[in-house]
Amino acid sequence: MKIENYNFKKKKALVRVDFNVPLNSELEITDDTRIRGAMPTIKKILSSGGSVILMSHLGRPETGFEEKFSLKHLVKHVSKLAGTTVKFSNDCIGNVPLEMAKNLKSGEILLLENLRFHKEEKKGNEEFAAELASLADVYVNDAFGTAHRAHASTAIIAKFFPEDKMFGYLIESELNSMDKILEDPQSPFTAIMGGAKVSDKILIIENLLERVDNLVIGGGMTYTFVKAKGGKIGASIVEEDKLDIARDLIEKAKAKNVNLILPTDNIVADKFDANASTKETPIDEVPDGWMGLDIGQESINKIADIIRESKTILWNGPMGVFEMEKFEAGTKSVALAIAEATDKGAFSLIGGGDSVSAINKYKLADQVSFVSTGGGAMLEYMEGRELPGITAIRG
Ligand code: AMP
């Protein structure tokens, strides 16, 4: 069932959104990207004659109500973006939301209080899901960031809407982008994996080895591979217990004819600091006491050339400590090369928290094909795992 074709006329739609936005100490929203992301779905339902009941989590409340995690702080801003006054229920279950939902008219929006004020949400409690379900006729899931969790509002609830459940536009576009990469990648397909640790990325690398032509490794995880090959890595970040896995991935890449590209040079620093002394060395000759914090110029040139020649690109994780100016060249060059390749017709997907921050930092988000909003959910989907929130609707 597609949101595009569904007839919402006179229907109450319960929409799971991801309004987990950052708030400052004055409880003002400092980044409303996630709220904006849900607007196409909300507006579609309203404009086709339905009403919208919004449910979300915000932060990590421990035991019940906490002022700083109340969704009431979002009411004004959601109203402004939606162009209509949003009603607010100070609980997500019980008589209050039930009455308010009953009286909701076509074109109106009701926002429910934080789902995680009830521990049943994260536990995936069925009665809790049934109570939420009783508020509406249709269920729409548009919260990709929590699709990998089997929570009451993201997965369990779907069974109460056997004929009337669907994804919102946001999840739909996330799935379309990832499926394009997993199922129908145009060759050459290059994946660029970076970030601090290889342990977070082993499963996705294994899944990608079945599909890619080029696999670029960068960032802190490089040094586990370099050490596994017998190189000198000085004080660089390393996972000693993953050396065997790194060797195994190198072998698998060879067996599958994947071009595995490890950096050949790097910028090393005498301490982990924005003002550290730096120099350039071969990747496997990091002096004792020094640490590699970015890829070097030779590696940048090689990696950027490969990216520019690619037709499908997946990027997850920075090439160095891009938060510090001295160590951002690698990450910035990769971001620019991806934008260039996209301009020449490649399909590019950027996912995972820090590469998303990087692409935003360099103001290139609108020059790539798709920027995923779903950190952990995106990684799990790309690993080939089933996400409870997706399976609950797609089957
Ligand atoms: P991840 O969350 O695994 O994608 O890791 C992202 C973090 O890895 C960023 O904050 C980077 O600063 C950090 N990082 C990237 N390269 C290195 C490196 N060579 N040494 C230490 N940390 C790094």
PDB file of all heavy atoms in Angstrom, residues 194-198 200-201 218-223 236-237 266-267 272 291-295 316-324 327 331 351-355 379, ligand 1:
ATOM      1  N   GLY A 194      34.664   4.858   6.376  1.00  0.00           N
ATOM      2  CA  GLY A 194      35.631   5.496   7.261  1.00  0.00           C
ATOM      3  C   GLY A 194      35.127   5.478   8.675  1.00  0.00           C
ATOM      4  O   GLY A 194      34.327   4.618   9.042  1.00  0.00           O
ATOM      5  N   GLY A 195      35.580   6.434   9.465  1.00  0.00           N
ATOM      6  CA  GLY A 195      35.153   6.502  10.856  1.00  0.00           C
ATOM      7  C   GLY A 195      36.171   5.872  11.764  1.00  0.00           C
ATOM      8  O   GLY A 195      37.216   5.402  11.318  1.00  0.00           O
ATOM      9  N   ALA A 196      35.828   5.850  13.037  1.00  0.00           N
ATOM     10  CA  ALA A 196      36.817   5.490  14.045  1.00  0.00           C
ATOM     11  C   ALA A 196      37.115   3.988  14.069  1.00  0.00           C
ATOM     12  O   ALA A 196      38.263   3.574  14.079  1.00  0.00           O
ATOM     13  CB  ALA A 196      36.337   5.964  15.408  1.00  0.00           C
ATOM     14  N   LYS A 197      36.054   3.182  14.050  1.00  0.00           N
ATOM     15  CA  LYS A 197      36.265   1.776  14.397  1.00  0.00           C
ATOM     16  C   LYS A 197      35.794   0.813  13.331  1.00  0.00           C
ATOM     17  O   LYS A 197      34.718   0.971  12.763  1.00  0.00           O
ATOM     18  CB  LYS A 197      35.518   1.466  15.701  1.00  0.00           C
ATOM     19  CG  LYS A 197      36.081   2.247  16.879  1.00  0.00           C
ATOM     20  CD  LYS A 197      35.701   1.641  18.204  1.00  0.00           C
ATOM     21  CE  LYS A 197      34.222   1.754  18.451  1.00  0.00           C
ATOM     22  NZ  LYS A 197      33.776   1.299  19.748  1.00  0.00           N
ATOM     23  N   VAL A 198      36.588  -0.227  13.098  1.00  0.00           N
ATOM     24  CA  VAL A 198      36.194  -1.239  12.127  1.00  0.00           C
ATOM     25  C   VAL A 198      35.084  -2.127  12.715  1.00  0.00           C
ATOM     26  O   VAL A 198      34.223  -2.630  11.976  1.00  0.00           O
ATOM     27  CB  VAL A 198      37.412  -2.076  11.657  1.00  0.00           C
ATOM     28  CG1 VAL A 198      38.010  -2.862  12.789  1.00  0.00           C
ATOM     29  CG2 VAL A 198      37.055  -2.970  10.503  1.00  0.00           C
ATOM     30  N   ASP A 200      32.368  -1.520  14.179  1.00  0.00           N
ATOM     31  CA  ASP A 200      30.994  -1.102  13.839  1.00  0.00           C
ATOM     32  C   ASP A 200      30.645  -1.419  12.392  1.00  0.00           C
ATOM     33  O   ASP A 200      29.480  -1.411  12.021  1.00  0.00           O
ATOM     34  CB  ASP A 200      30.844   0.427  13.978  1.00  0.00           C
ATOM     35  CG  ASP A 200      31.167   0.928  15.369  1.00  0.00           C
ATOM     36  OD1 ASP A 200      31.043   0.128  16.304  1.00  0.00           O
ATOM     37  OD2 ASP A 200      31.545   2.109  15.498  1.00  0.00           O
ATOM     38  N   LYS A 201      31.655  -1.640  11.560  1.00  0.00           N
ATOM     39  CA  LYS A 201      31.411  -1.677  10.118  1.00  0.00           C
ATOM     40  C   LYS A 201      31.672  -3.034   9.470  1.00  0.00           C
ATOM     41  O   LYS A 201      31.547  -3.174   8.264  1.00  0.00           O
ATOM     42  CB  LYS A 201      32.288  -0.620   9.414  1.00  0.00           C
ATOM     43  CG  LYS A 201      32.325   0.762  10.090  1.00  0.00           C
ATOM     44  CD  LYS A 201      31.205   1.691   9.622  1.00  0.00           C
ATOM     45  CE  LYS A 201      30.967   2.851  10.558  1.00  0.00           C
ATOM     46  NZ  LYS A 201      31.676   4.072  10.263  1.00  0.00           N
ATOM     47  N   GLY A 218      39.114   4.223   4.969  1.00  0.00           N
ATOM     48  CA  GLY A 218      39.811   5.414   5.460  1.00  0.00           C
ATOM     49  C   GLY A 218      39.502   5.623   6.922  1.00  0.00           C
ATOM     50  O   GLY A 218      38.886   4.764   7.567  1.00  0.00           O
ATOM     51  N   GLY A 219      39.938   6.752   7.472  1.00  0.00           N
ATOM     52  CA  GLY A 219      39.647   7.062   8.874  1.00  0.00           C
ATOM     53  C   GLY A 219      40.448   6.199   9.833  1.00  0.00           C
ATOM     54  O   GLY A 219      41.395   5.505   9.442  1.00  0.00           O
ATOM     55  N   GLY A 220      40.016   6.208  11.082  1.00  0.00           N
ATOM     56  CA  GLY A 220      40.743   5.499  12.123  1.00  0.00           C
ATOM     57  C   GLY A 220      40.812   3.997  11.887  1.00  0.00           C
ATOM     58  O   GLY A 220      41.782   3.341  12.272  1.00  0.00           O
ATOM     59  N   MET A 221      39.806   3.430  11.234  1.00  0.00           N
ATOM     60  CA  MET A 221      39.797   1.973  11.076  1.00  0.00           C
ATOM     61  C   MET A 221      40.903   1.476  10.150  1.00  0.00           C
ATOM     62  O   MET A 221      41.255   0.296  10.148  1.00  0.00           O
ATOM     63  CB  MET A 221      38.428   1.498  10.623  1.00  0.00           C
ATOM     64  CG  MET A 221      38.070   1.803   9.211  1.00  0.00           C
ATOM     65  SD  MET A 221      36.740   0.695   8.722  1.00  0.00           S
ATOM     66  CE  MET A 221      35.489   1.818   8.298  1.00  0.00           C
ATOM     67  N   THR A 222      41.482   2.400   9.365  1.00  0.00           N
ATOM     68  CA  THR A 222      42.586   2.048   8.469  1.00  0.00           C
ATOM     69  C   THR A 222      43.700   1.320   9.222  1.00  0.00           C
ATOM     70  O   THR A 222      44.286   0.356   8.716  1.00  0.00           O
ATOM     71  CB  THR A 222      43.200   3.347   7.879  1.00  0.00           C
ATOM     72  OG1 THR A 222      42.171   4.080   7.229  1.00  0.00           O
ATOM     73  CG2 THR A 222      44.314   3.031   6.908  1.00  0.00           C
ATOM     74  N   TYR A 223      43.975   1.805  10.461  1.00  0.00           N
ATOM     75  CA  TYR A 223      45.175   1.328  11.153  1.00  0.00           C
ATOM     76  C   TYR A 223      45.059  -0.111  11.628  1.00  0.00           C
ATOM     77  O   TYR A 223      46.066  -0.797  11.791  1.00  0.00           O
ATOM     78  CB  TYR A 223      45.545   2.314  12.272  1.00  0.00           C
ATOM     79  CG  TYR A 223      45.835   3.655  11.647  1.00  0.00           C
ATOM     80  CD1 TYR A 223      44.851   4.649  11.575  1.00  0.00           C
ATOM     81  CD2 TYR A 223      47.047   3.885  11.011  1.00  0.00           C
ATOM     82  CE1 TYR A 223      45.085   5.845  10.919  1.00  0.00           C
ATOM     83  CE2 TYR A 223      47.289   5.079  10.350  1.00  0.00           C
ATOM     84  CZ  TYR A 223      46.301   6.055  10.306  1.00  0.00           C
ATOM     85  OH  TYR A 223      46.532   7.220   9.626  1.00  0.00           O
ATOM     86  N   SER A 236      48.540   5.379  16.600  1.00  0.00           N
ATOM     87  CA  SER A 236      47.237   5.506  15.924  1.00  0.00           C
ATOM     88  C   SER A 236      46.210   4.594  16.586  1.00  0.00           C
ATOM     89  O   SER A 236      46.557   3.563  17.173  1.00  0.00           O
ATOM     90  CB  SER A 236      47.345   5.111  14.447  1.00  0.00           C
ATOM     91  OG  SER A 236      48.365   5.831  13.824  1.00  0.00           O
ATOM     92  N   ILE A 237      44.938   4.956  16.429  1.00  0.00           N
ATOM     93  CA  ILE A 237      43.842   4.158  16.975  1.00  0.00           C
ATOM     94  C   ILE A 237      43.844   2.771  16.296  1.00  0.00           C
ATOM     95  O   ILE A 237      44.054   2.660  15.087  1.00  0.00           O
ATOM     96  CB  ILE A 237      42.505   4.907  16.764  1.00  0.00           C
ATOM     97  CG1 ILE A 237      41.350   4.215  17.459  1.00  0.00           C
ATOM     98  CG2 ILE A 237      42.186   5.090  15.300  1.00  0.00           C
ATOM     99  CD1 ILE A 237      40.057   5.056  17.406  1.00  0.00           C
ATOM    100  N   ASN A 266      49.648   9.259   5.057  1.00  0.00           N
ATOM    101  CA  ASN A 266      48.751   9.907   6.043  1.00  0.00           C
ATOM    102  C   ASN A 266      49.393  11.107   6.723  1.00  0.00           C
ATOM    103  O   ASN A 266      50.608  11.306   6.663  1.00  0.00           O
ATOM    104  CB  ASN A 266      48.241   8.879   7.057  1.00  0.00           C
ATOM    105  CG  ASN A 266      49.302   8.282   7.966  1.00  0.00           C
ATOM    106  OD1 ASN A 266      48.986   7.612   8.932  1.00  0.00           O
ATOM    107  ND2 ASN A 266      50.574   8.507   7.680  1.00  0.00           N
ATOM    108  N   ILE A 267      48.529  11.926   7.338  1.00  0.00           N
ATOM    109  CA  ILE A 267      49.000  13.043   8.153  1.00  0.00           C
ATOM    110  C   ILE A 267      49.073  12.539   9.588  1.00  0.00           C
ATOM    111  O   ILE A 267      48.052  12.088  10.126  1.00  0.00           O
ATOM    112  CB  ILE A 267      48.005  14.235   8.108  1.00  0.00           C
ATOM    113  CG1 ILE A 267      47.655  14.619   6.677  1.00  0.00           C
ATOM    114  CG2 ILE A 267      48.553  15.421   8.905  1.00  0.00           C
ATOM    115  CD1 ILE A 267      48.785  15.217   5.890  1.00  0.00           C
ATOM    116  N   PHE A 272      46.555  14.201  19.949  1.00  0.00           N
ATOM    117  CA  PHE A 272      45.192  14.334  19.423  1.00  0.00           C
ATOM    118  C   PHE A 272      44.697  15.720  19.793  1.00  0.00           C
ATOM    119  O   PHE A 272      44.020  15.920  20.791  1.00  0.00           O
ATOM    120  CB  PHE A 272      44.293  13.245  20.035  1.00  0.00           C
ATOM    121  CG  PHE A 272      42.956  13.137  19.357  1.00  0.00           C
ATOM    122  CD1 PHE A 272      42.778  12.315  18.256  1.00  0.00           C
ATOM    123  CD2 PHE A 272      41.856  13.860  19.823  1.00  0.00           C
ATOM    124  CE1 PHE A 272      41.538  12.215  17.635  1.00  0.00           C
ATOM    125  CE2 PHE A 272      40.614  13.763  19.202  1.00  0.00           C
ATOM    126  CZ  PHE A 272      40.463  12.941  18.108  1.00  0.00           C
ATOM    127  N   MET A 291      50.392   9.743  15.833  1.00  0.00           N
ATOM    128  CA  MET A 291      49.152   9.061  15.413  1.00  0.00           C
ATOM    129  C   MET A 291      48.642   9.613  14.081  1.00  0.00           C
ATOM    130  O   MET A 291      48.743  10.824  13.832  1.00  0.00           O
ATOM    131  CB  MET A 291      48.076   9.202  16.487  1.00  0.00           C
ATOM    132  CG  MET A 291      47.734  10.625  16.845  1.00  0.00           C
ATOM    133  SD  MET A 291      46.658  10.723  18.288  1.00  0.00           S
ATOM    134  CE  MET A 291      47.848  10.593  19.586  1.00  0.00           C
ATOM    135  N   GLY A 292      48.129   8.702  13.251  1.00  0.00           N
ATOM    136  CA  GLY A 292      47.575   9.111  11.956  1.00  0.00           C
ATOM    137  C   GLY A 292      46.173   9.657  12.143  1.00  0.00           C
ATOM    138  O   GLY A 292      45.306   8.971  12.689  1.00  0.00           O
ATOM    139  N   LEU A 293      45.967  10.917  11.698  1.00  0.00           N
ATOM    140  CA  LEU A 293      44.639  11.522  11.907  1.00  0.00           C
ATOM    141  C   LEU A 293      43.949  11.933  10.607  1.00  0.00           C
ATOM    142  O   LEU A 293      42.823  12.415  10.625  1.00  0.00           O
ATOM    143  CB  LEU A 293      44.739  12.721  12.866  1.00  0.00           C
ATOM    144  CG  LEU A 293      45.167  12.392  14.309  1.00  0.00           C
ATOM    145  CD1 LEU A 293      45.159  13.637  15.178  1.00  0.00           C
ATOM    146  CD2 LEU A 293      44.295  11.305  14.935  1.00  0.00           C
ATOM    147  N   ASP A 294      44.641  11.785   9.474  1.00  0.00           N
ATOM    148  CA  ASP A 294      43.966  12.023   8.181  1.00  0.00           C
ATOM    149  C   ASP A 294      44.745  11.283   7.098  1.00  0.00           C
ATOM    150  O   ASP A 294      45.915  10.957   7.282  1.00  0.00           O
ATOM    151  CB  ASP A 294      43.921  13.529   7.864  1.00  0.00           C
ATOM    152  CG  ASP A 294      42.912  13.866   6.755  1.00  0.00           C
ATOM    153  OD1 ASP A 294      42.127  12.962   6.358  1.00  0.00           O
ATOM    154  OD2 ASP A 294      42.905  15.018   6.282  1.00  0.00           O
ATOM    155  N   ILE A 295      44.070  11.045   5.966  1.00  0.00           N
ATOM    156  CA  ILE A 295      44.782  10.428   4.852  1.00  0.00           C
ATOM    157  C   ILE A 295      45.649  11.502   4.167  1.00  0.00           C
ATOM    158  O   ILE A 295      45.365  12.696   4.261  1.00  0.00           O
ATOM    159  CB  ILE A 295      43.816   9.765   3.838  1.00  0.00           C
ATOM    160  CG1 ILE A 295      42.793  10.770   3.287  1.00  0.00           C
ATOM    161  CG2 ILE A 295      43.099   8.604   4.495  1.00  0.00           C
ATOM    162  CD1 ILE A 295      41.892  10.198   2.206  1.00  0.00           C
ATOM    163  N   ASN A 316      30.142   6.175   3.987  1.00  0.00           N
ATOM    164  CA  ASN A 316      29.808   6.070   5.403  1.00  0.00           C
ATOM    165  C   ASN A 316      31.080   6.260   6.235  1.00  0.00           C
ATOM    166  O   ASN A 316      31.953   5.408   6.225  1.00  0.00           O
ATOM    167  CB  ASN A 316      29.193   4.681   5.655  1.00  0.00           C
ATOM    168  CG  ASN A 316      28.868   4.473   7.112  1.00  0.00           C
ATOM    169  OD1 ASN A 316      29.756   4.438   7.962  1.00  0.00           O
ATOM    170  ND2 ASN A 316      27.597   4.340   7.414  1.00  0.00           N
ATOM    171  N   GLY A 317      31.176   7.390   6.903  1.00  0.00           N
ATOM    172  CA  GLY A 317      32.296   7.607   7.836  1.00  0.00           C
ATOM    173  C   GLY A 317      33.393   8.481   7.267  1.00  0.00           C
ATOM    174  O   GLY A 317      33.807   8.284   6.125  1.00  0.00           O
ATOM    175  N   PRO A 318      33.895   9.440   8.070  1.00  0.00           N
ATOM    176  CA  PRO A 318      34.920  10.384   7.600  1.00  0.00           C
ATOM    177  C   PRO A 318      36.290   9.726   7.399  1.00  0.00           C
ATOM    178  O   PRO A 318      36.577   8.681   7.963  1.00  0.00           O
ATOM    179  CB  PRO A 318      34.977  11.416   8.727  1.00  0.00           C
ATOM    180  CG  PRO A 318      34.480  10.709   9.939  1.00  0.00           C
ATOM    181  CD  PRO A 318      33.477   9.703   9.458  1.00  0.00           C
ATOM    182  N   MET A 319      37.129  10.384   6.594  1.00  0.00           N
ATOM    183  CA  MET A 319      38.466   9.874   6.275  1.00  0.00           C
ATOM    184  C   MET A 319      39.495  10.230   7.337  1.00  0.00           C
ATOM    185  O   MET A 319      40.616   9.716   7.337  1.00  0.00           O
ATOM    186  CB  MET A 319      38.948  10.458   4.926  1.00  0.00           C
ATOM    187  CG  MET A 319      38.120  10.045   3.733  1.00  0.00           C
ATOM    188  SD  MET A 319      38.320   8.283   3.361  1.00  0.00           S
ATOM    189  CE  MET A 319      36.849   7.636   4.099  1.00  0.00           C
ATOM    190  N   GLY A 320      39.133  11.165   8.208  1.00  0.00           N
ATOM    191  CA  GLY A 320      40.045  11.583   9.268  1.00  0.00           C
ATOM    192  C   GLY A 320      39.273  12.355  10.314  1.00  0.00           C
ATOM    193  O   GLY A 320      38.036  12.367  10.305  1.00  0.00           O
ATOM    194  N   VAL A 321      39.997  13.002  11.213  1.00  0.00           N
ATOM    195  CA  VAL A 321      39.347  13.768  12.273  1.00  0.00           C
ATOM    196  C   VAL A 321      38.945  15.132  11.687  1.00  0.00           C
ATOM    197  O   VAL A 321      39.566  16.154  11.950  1.00  0.00           O
ATOM    198  CB  VAL A 321      40.278  13.899  13.500  1.00  0.00           C
ATOM    199  CG1 VAL A 321      39.583  14.625  14.648  1.00  0.00           C
ATOM    200  CG2 VAL A 321      40.703  12.504  13.973  1.00  0.00           C
ATOM    201  N   PHE A 322      37.886  15.102  10.872  1.00  0.00           N
ATOM    202  CA  PHE A 322      37.519  16.284  10.067  1.00  0.00           C
ATOM    203  C   PHE A 322      37.004  17.429  10.930  1.00  0.00           C
ATOM    204  O   PHE A 322      36.883  18.549  10.462  1.00  0.00           O
ATOM    205  CB  PHE A 322      36.460  15.894   9.024  1.00  0.00           C
ATOM    206  CG  PHE A 322      35.099  15.686   9.621  1.00  0.00           C
ATOM    207  CD1 PHE A 322      34.110  16.655   9.490  1.00  0.00           C
ATOM    208  CD2 PHE A 322      34.807  14.551  10.333  1.00  0.00           C
ATOM    209  CE1 PHE A 322      32.858  16.481  10.069  1.00  0.00           C
ATOM    210  CE2 PHE A 322      33.562  14.367  10.909  1.00  0.00           C
ATOM    211  CZ  PHE A 322      32.587  15.328  10.778  1.00  0.00           C
ATOM    212  N   GLU A 323      36.694  17.122  12.211  1.00  0.00           N
ATOM    213  CA  GLU A 323      36.240  18.178  13.122  1.00  0.00           C
ATOM    214  C   GLU A 323      37.369  19.186  13.355  1.00  0.00           C
ATOM    215  O   GLU A 323      37.128  20.309  13.752  1.00  0.00           O
ATOM    216  CB  GLU A 323      35.799  17.592  14.465  1.00  0.00           C
ATOM    217  CG  GLU A 323      34.608  16.624  14.394  1.00  0.00           C
ATOM    218  CD  GLU A 323      35.031  15.162  14.231  1.00  0.00           C
ATOM    219  OE1 GLU A 323      36.160  14.897  13.746  1.00  0.00           O
ATOM    220  OE2 GLU A 323      34.218  14.277  14.572  1.00  0.00           O
ATOM    221  N   MET A 324      38.639  18.769  13.144  1.00  0.00           N
ATOM    222  CA  MET A 324      39.786  19.673  13.317  1.00  0.00           C
ATOM    223  C   MET A 324      40.336  20.029  11.939  1.00  0.00           C
ATOM    224  O   MET A 324      40.575  19.145  11.107  1.00  0.00           O
ATOM    225  CB  MET A 324      40.883  18.990  14.145  1.00  0.00           C
ATOM    226  CG  MET A 324      40.426  18.569  15.534  1.00  0.00           C
ATOM    227  SD  MET A 324      41.788  17.755  16.413  1.00  0.00           S
ATOM    228  CE  MET A 324      40.915  16.999  17.785  1.00  0.00           C
ATOM    229  N   PHE A 327      43.053  18.214   9.982  1.00  0.00           N
ATOM    230  CA  PHE A 327      42.839  16.820   9.590  1.00  0.00           C
ATOM    231  C   PHE A 327      41.556  16.630   8.784  1.00  0.00           C
ATOM    232  O   PHE A 327      40.929  15.583   8.816  1.00  0.00           O
ATOM    233  CB  PHE A 327      42.816  15.928  10.845  1.00  0.00           C
ATOM    234  CG  PHE A 327      43.947  16.223  11.784  1.00  0.00           C
ATOM    235  CD1 PHE A 327      43.734  16.794  13.023  1.00  0.00           C
ATOM    236  CD2 PHE A 327      45.264  15.957  11.380  1.00  0.00           C
ATOM    237  CE1 PHE A 327      44.792  17.101  13.873  1.00  0.00           C
ATOM    238  CE2 PHE A 327      46.336  16.259  12.220  1.00  0.00           C
ATOM    239  CZ  PHE A 327      46.100  16.841  13.470  1.00  0.00           C
ATOM    240  N   THR A 331      38.555  14.107   4.186  1.00  0.00           N
ATOM    241  CA  THR A 331      37.091  14.040   4.218  1.00  0.00           C
ATOM    242  C   THR A 331      36.481  15.055   3.249  1.00  0.00           C
ATOM    243  O   THR A 331      35.553  14.739   2.492  1.00  0.00           O
ATOM    244  CB  THR A 331      36.591  14.308   5.661  1.00  0.00           C
ATOM    245  OG1 THR A 331      37.207  13.348   6.522  1.00  0.00           O
ATOM    246  CG2 THR A 331      35.093  14.203   5.758  1.00  0.00           C
ATOM    247  N   GLY A 351      25.465   8.167   4.221  1.00  0.00           N
ATOM    248  CA  GLY A 351      24.747   7.732   5.416  1.00  0.00           C
ATOM    249  C   GLY A 351      25.682   7.528   6.581  1.00  0.00           C
ATOM    250  O   GLY A 351      26.885   7.358   6.408  1.00  0.00           O
ATOM    251  N   GLY A 352      25.121   7.542   7.776  1.00  0.00           N
ATOM    252  CA  GLY A 352      25.946   7.395   8.976  1.00  0.00           C
ATOM    253  C   GLY A 352      26.274   8.764   9.506  1.00  0.00           C
ATOM    254  O   GLY A 352      26.727   9.621   8.742  1.00  0.00           O
ATOM    255  N   GLY A 353      26.008   8.959  10.797  1.00  0.00           N
ATOM    256  CA  GLY A 353      26.084  10.261  11.446  1.00  0.00           C
ATOM    257  C   GLY A 353      27.178  11.189  10.972  1.00  0.00           C
ATOM    258  O   GLY A 353      26.901  12.305  10.534  1.00  0.00           O
ATOM    259  N   ASP A 354      28.442  10.726  11.010  1.00  0.00           N
ATOM    260  CA  ASP A 354      29.523  11.668  10.806  1.00  0.00           C
ATOM    261  C   ASP A 354      29.775  12.051   9.369  1.00  0.00           C
ATOM    262  O   ASP A 354      30.218  13.174   9.098  1.00  0.00           O
ATOM    263  CB  ASP A 354      30.800  11.147  11.455  1.00  0.00           C
ATOM    264  CG  ASP A 354      30.808  11.494  12.929  1.00  0.00           C
ATOM    265  OD1 ASP A 354      30.599  12.674  13.245  1.00  0.00           O
ATOM    266  OD2 ASP A 354      30.986  10.594  13.755  1.00  0.00           O
ATOM    267  N   SER A 355      29.474  11.166   8.414  1.00  0.00           N
ATOM    268  CA  SER A 355      29.626  11.606   7.019  1.00  0.00           C
ATOM    269  C   SER A 355      28.494  12.570   6.670  1.00  0.00           C
ATOM    270  O   SER A 355      28.659  13.470   5.838  1.00  0.00           O
ATOM    271  CB  SER A 355      29.674  10.435   6.030  1.00  0.00           C
ATOM    272  OG  SER A 355      29.044   9.315   6.537  1.00  0.00           O
ATOM    273  N   LEU A 379      22.622   1.595   8.645  1.00  0.00           N
ATOM    274  CA  LEU A 379      23.694   0.597   8.708  1.00  0.00           C
ATOM    275  C   LEU A 379      23.115  -0.818   8.718  1.00  0.00           C
ATOM    276  O   LEU A 379      23.553  -1.683   7.961  1.00  0.00           O
ATOM    277  CB  LEU A 379      24.531   0.791   9.970  1.00  0.00           C
ATOM    278  CG  LEU A 379      25.751   1.684   9.869  1.00  0.00           C
ATOM    279  CD1 LEU A 379      26.492   1.708  11.203  1.00  0.00           C
ATOM    280  CD2 LEU A 379      26.683   1.217   8.771  1.00  0.00           C
TER     281      LEU A 379
HETATM  282  P1  AMP B   1      32.221   6.754  13.288  1.00  0.00           P
HETATM  283  O1  AMP B   1      31.194   7.220  14.264  1.00  0.00           O
HETATM  284  O2  AMP B   1      32.759   5.383  13.540  1.00  0.00           O
HETATM  285  O3  AMP B   1      31.826   7.006  11.861  1.00  0.00           O
HETATM  286  O4  AMP B   1      33.519   7.669  13.596  1.00  0.00           O
HETATM  287  C1  AMP B   1      33.538   9.026  13.345  1.00  0.00           C
HETATM  288  C2  AMP B   1      34.660   9.636  14.137  1.00  0.00           C
HETATM  289  O5  AMP B   1      35.875   9.029  13.774  1.00  0.00           O
HETATM  290  C3  AMP B   1      34.815  11.113  13.861  1.00  0.00           C
HETATM  291  O6  AMP B   1      34.485  11.837  15.011  1.00  0.00           O
HETATM  292  C4  AMP B   1      36.290  11.256  13.528  1.00  0.00           C
HETATM  293  O7  AMP B   1      36.908  12.337  14.188  1.00  0.00           O
HETATM  294  C5  AMP B   1      36.890   9.968  13.994  1.00  0.00           C
HETATM  295  N1  AMP B   1      38.095   9.606  13.244  1.00  0.00           N
HETATM  296  C6  AMP B   1      38.257   9.590  11.914  1.00  0.00           C
HETATM  297  N2  AMP B   1      39.521   9.276  11.577  1.00  0.00           N
HETATM  298  C7  AMP B   1      40.191   9.079  12.730  1.00  0.00           C
HETATM  299  C8  AMP B   1      41.540   8.725  13.039  1.00  0.00           C
HETATM  300  N3  AMP B   1      42.442   8.525  12.075  1.00  0.00           N
HETATM  301  N4  AMP B   1      41.871   8.609  14.336  1.00  0.00           N
HETATM  302  C9  AMP B   1      40.956   8.820  15.308  1.00  0.00           C
HETATM  303  N5  AMP B   1      39.669   9.141  15.078  1.00  0.00           N
HETATM  304  C10 AMP B   1      39.285   9.274  13.806  1.00  0.00           C
END
